[in-house]
Amino acid sequence: MNSNHLRYSKNHEWIGLKIQNEIQNKKAYVGITNFAKKELGDIIYLDIEDTIIGKIIKKGEIFGTIEAVKTVSDLFMPVSGCILEINKKLLSKPEQINKDSYNKGWMIIIEILYIKEYKKLMSLEEYNKYIQNPPIK
């Protein structure tokens, strides 16, 4: 995945259309950003239940968890969507996310429900500014 063609959430998930520039298709890959990967540290476990396949998960809801040496973190849906597929290879080899979080490190494939949500996510330029000046919680 070319990171220039992705959209980014404030929770550090990325989403990329499965067929680039074809919004009508509405199928997209979802994963975590390099920033999130660096913040978490070495990833050692990924938990995404098979039971979510075929389910609709709304924007901001949790679709799984990721565990690193430092911490455990929830994975949030960047947009509302129906879960089509889980990257099963990551479940047995989560360290693949450490090596390549944008290509082989995708976590799920979804069908986007509301393309407006996708369009409201940050571009790469906007995301880079966001991570340089994160909001104070």
Side-chain angles (χ1 to χ4, degrees), residues 80-104:
S80 300
C82 180
I83 309 298
L84 302 176
E85 186 178 335
I86 298 169
N87 186 346
K88 298 266 187 190
K89 291 178 185 174
L90 290 185
L91 299 178
S92 60
K93 295 186 183 242
E95 65 276 4
Q96 186 64 52
I97 299 167
N98 298 320
K99 296 175 189 169
D100 184 4
S101 62
Y102 290 99
N103 291 299
K104 292 181 182 176

Side-chain angles (χ1 to χ4, degrees), residues 32-41 43 97-99 101:
I32 64 166
T33 65
N34 278 333
F35 177 83
K37 177 179 71 173
K38 288 175 188 166
E39 290 291 302
L40 288 168
I43 294 162
I97 299 167
N98 298 320
K99 296 175 189 169
S101 62

Side-chain angles (χ1 to χ4, degrees), residues 30 52 58 82 95:
V30 175
I52 69 167
K58 292 181 182 169
C82 180
E95 65 276 4

